[in-house]
Amino acid sequence: MGKNLLIAQSGGPSSAINAALSGILMEAAKSPEIDKVYGGIHGIYGVISHQIADLTNQIRTAEEFKLLETTPGMALGSCRFKLPPLEKDTKVYEKLVEIFHSYNIGYFLYMGGSNSMDTVWKLSRYLKDKNEDIRVLGVPKSVDNDLSGTDHTPGFGSAAKFIATSMEEIIRDSEAYPINSVTIVEVMGKESGWLTAASILPHHFGENAPHLVYLPEVPFSMGQFINDVQEAMKKERAVVVAVSEGLKFSDGSYVAQSREDENGYTSVGQVLERALVSTIGGKIRSIVLNVLQRCSGHLLSAADVIESRRIGTFAVRNVLNGETGKVLVFNRVSNSPYLINVETVPVEQVLSAGVKGFPLEWISPENNDLTQEALNYLLPLINGEVEYSCKAGMPVHFRFDLTPCQPPKTEP
C-alpha cells in the first residue's frame, strides 16, 4: 500500500496556480507510489482544522484538466497563516504530524509565495528533527514575481499579460478625445515593481505610452513626478503613467499614506491624481487595476500555463525521489530562444535572500522608464494564447467537491 499525497494552496490567488495543481494531479494519478490524493481546504490553516478533502478521481478527463488549468483563483481555497517559530511553540507541529499520520500522508506539496515557503521550511525542519518520513516541497506561486531563487514565478506571466493588454486598451481610450489629459494607472506591487514593469510591454509594439513608469525600487519624488508629467505633456496630448502601489518617498514612507482617507489609507493613484489636479489641472484621472490583475482567466499566457503545469509535474517527481525541504524553481537558460530548466533549491536559501526586487540596472537614470533588457525579460513570459470553455457567453470554471472527509480506517 502506497503513501498518500496532500496538496494545499496559500497566499494571494493567481490565474495559473491551478495549472500547477493540474500538473500535480496528472503526475500523481500515474504514480504507483501514491495511493490517494488529498487537498487541504484553505491552506495549512485548513489542514490544522481537519478540513481535508479527497481529490482522488475527482478529475479524470483531458477536458476536465484543461478546465482546471483555465480557472483562475485557488481551486482548493487559500489562507494567510504562518506557523509559529519552532523555538517558541511546537504544539501545532505535533498536531500536524498527528493529522498526517491519520491520513497516511507521506508527501506534502505546499503552493504559494514567501509565507508559504516559510511553512515548508519550518515544517520540513520539524519532521526531519523528529525522524518522520514525510517529505515536504514548496511549489512557488506569486503574481508579484518577488520570490528569490527563481527566474520567475508561476502566475506572473498571466498577470503581466493582463496588465500589458489593459494598458493598451487604456492608451486607446485616453487618446480618443482632442484634449490634454493625464491617466495614472496603479498596478499591484507593495514591495517590488515587477508587475508595474509589465506595463511597458506595449513599447515593443511601437507605443510611446506609458510615457512614465515608477517602481518602488527607487525613491519617489513628488516634485520630480510633477515636473516629469509637465515635460511629457509638451510632447503628448494624452499622457499615460504607470505607478506601483508600493511607491515610497526617500524617507521610506509610502506615497499612498501621505494623504490618508478616514480609514487610514488611500491609493497611490489617488494621491498622485490630487497632486496633479492642484498643480497642473485639466483632465486627470487615476485607474486602479486591483484584483483583476491576478484573477483574469480570459487573458492567460500560454507560456505561463505550460510552465505552471510543468513545475507541478516536477514537484511530484522530486518528492517521490526523496527530496524534502526544497522549493521548485525556474532557471532561465536563454532569452532567444527562450529556454528554462526546472530545478530545486533549499527553501532556506530562498527565504534568506529576501524579496526579489526589480533589477536597478533595468531602470532608466531618470527613474521614470525601463530599459530594453526589461522588455527582453518580460516578452517570453506572456507568449501564446489559451482557449477557455464558455457557456451562454460566459467562461466556465472548475470546482472540486471540497466536502471534508474523515481519515481512512486502519486495520486493527
Side-chain angles (χ1 to χ4, degrees), residues 144-320:
D144 293 316
N145 199 36
D146 59 358
L147 192 68
S148 294
T150 184
D151 177 79
H152 58 281
T153 48
F156 171 68
S158 293
K161 185 167 189 156
F162 175 85
I163 291 165
T165 304
S166 298
M167 185 60 70
E168 278 197 318
E169 293 168 345
I170 290 169
I171 293 167
R172 296 286 82 79
D173 181 273
S174 67
E175 65 185 14
Y177 298 100
I179 57 175
N180 294 330
S181 66
V182 179
T183 303
I184 303 165
V185 184
E186 179 180 328
V187 183
M188 277 183 171
K190 193 74 172 177
E191 301 298 333
S192 64
W194 292 99
L195 284 174
T196 307
S199 67
I200 71 163
L201 282 161
H203 291 180
H204 181 71
F205 305 99
E207 299 284 358
N208 291 326
H211 305 99
L212 299 167
V213 181
Y214 299 92
L215 308 188
E217 279 75 7
V218 292
F220 181 81
S221 164
M222 188 66 77
Q224 186 59 51
F225 166 71
I226 294 171
N227 182 69
D228 289 345
V229 172
Q230 289 173 325
E231 289 300 312
M233 292 182 74
K234 294 177 182 178
K235 304 173 185 176
E236 305 286 345
R237 173 170 47 82
V239 174
V240 179
V241 184
V243 300
S244 169
E245 66 172 335
L247 290 184
K248 296 178 183 178
F249 294 117
S250 57
D251 64 0
S253 63
Y254 287 101
V255 173
Q257 293 174 332
S258 63
R259 188 169 181 177
E260 298 176 347
D261 61 14
E262 64 273 13
N263 297 315
Y265 179 80
T266 189
S267 75
V268 66
Q270 290 174 329
V271 171
L272 300 183
E273 177 185 350
R274 293 168 188 167
L276 292 181
V277 167
S278 63
T279 55
I280 296 176
K283 183 180 180 181
I284 299 170
R285 61 184 170 187
S286 59
I287 299 170
V288 182
L289 298 182
N290 212 301
V291 297
L292 293 172
Q293 296 159 84
R294 68 187 192 190
C295 68
S296 173
H298 63 286
L299 278 174
L300 291 168
S301 156
D304 190 21
V305 170
I306 292 169
E307 290 179 351
S308 297
R309 184 196 310 129
R310 184 182 174 194
I311 210 167
T313 298
F314 272 72
V316 175
R317 294 176 186 175
N318 283 78
V319 80
L320 290 178

Side-chain angles (χ1 to χ4, degrees), residues 41 71 159 167 312 361 369 412:
I41 306 169
T71 298
M167 185 60 70
E361 62 270 23
D369 200 0

Side-chain angles (χ1 to χ4, degrees), residues 98 111 396:
E98 181 183 335
M111 313 172 72
V396 179

Side-chain angles (χ1 to χ4, degrees), residues 348-365:
E348 62 266 28
Q349 178 180 318
V350 171
L351 293 172
S352 63
V355 173
K356 182 182 74 176
F358 190 84
L360 296 179
E361 62 270 23
W362 293 357
I363 302 175
S364 70

